[in-house]
Amino acid sequence: MITNRTFTMLKPDSVEKGNIGAILEKINAAGFRIVAMKLTHMTQRDAEAFYAIHKERPFFGELVQYMTRGPIVAAILEKDNAVEDFRALIGATNPAEAAEGTIRKLYATSISENAVHGSDSDENAAIEGAFHFATREMF
Ligand code: GDP
């Protein structure tokens, strides 16, 4: 199902560093419309569930600790080809490999503290949006 929507989180490092405004400006300038948005603080249970796919990875504990250490901004974004275009806008998982001008190149510090999340498929965008906004009507 192609929805033209994706899901993002501005992760705790972005909120801590005061980068919410700058990152949202990049997102708007790239043509995304904000459909839903909230400041929220993930619990350990939330983060473990959200990242369940990574639970066997060696960095899972570190990832859960990072994602729960402070508030995040969760948002649903709309644009043609949203998932793919947003992944291009944020850049590679590791900011050292991210293209110039991408959000991770500009605002991330490491592969673990990489500033933003972007869904990797339409299906996951719907699941992740519902996880944070609790209604599939958003999609
Ligand atoms: P994404 O889709 O680009 O966010 O990347 P992944 O789905 O592969 O990983 C999810 C998140 O786990 C990343 O955004 C990072 O915050 C974290 N992560 C990924 N790889 C590593 C790693 O090698 N070490 C650590 N500490 N964190 C990682």
Side-chain angles (χ1 to χ4, degrees):
M1 181 182 62
I2 293 181
T3 60
N4 292 333
R5 288 188 177 183
T6 192
F7 171 77
T8 188
M9 295 184 288
L10 311 192
K11 296 180 176 182
D13 53 322
S14 294
V15 178
E16 287 159 11
K17 292 178 190 162
N19 287 337
I20 296 174
I23 294 173
L24 289 179
E25 212 158 295
K26 293 279 293 176
I27 290 171
N28 277 324
F32 291 88
R33 192 171 75 82
I34 297 168
V35 177
M37 185 165 70
K38 68 177 175 188
L39 187 79
T40 186
H41 195 146
M42 293 174 92
T43 63
Q44 173 144 349
R45 204 169 148 198
D46 290 337
E48 285 174 355
F50 189 90
Y51 284 111
I53 195 165
H54 293 308
K55 66 174 183 294
E56 305 302 337
R57 307 283 283 276
F59 59 81
F60 185 66
E62 200 180 316
L63 175 59
V64 169
Q65 198 173 12
Y66 159 54
M67 289 303 296
T68 56
R69 77 169 186 225
I72 61 157
V73 174
I76 294 170
L77 307 173
E78 188 171 72
K79 181 185 182 297
D80 286 348
N81 204 34
V83 165
E84 202 177 317
D85 287 2
F86 193 71
R87 295 285 293 191
L89 179 66
I90 66 178
T93 307
N94 185 350
E97 291 160 14
E100 287 302 325
T102 59
I103 291 174
R104 282 171 167 167
K105 184 71 176 186
L106 289 165
Y107 300 110
T109 48
S110 68
I111 191 167
S112 53
E113 307 220 354
N114 61 1
V116 282
H117 169 80
S119 303
D120 63 5
S121 66
D122 287 299
E123 189 193 5
N124 283 338
I127 292 167
E128 293 169 0
F131 183 93
H132 279 279
F133 291 95
T135 169
R136 283 189 176 270
E137 261 95 85
M138 301 299 313
F139 292 87

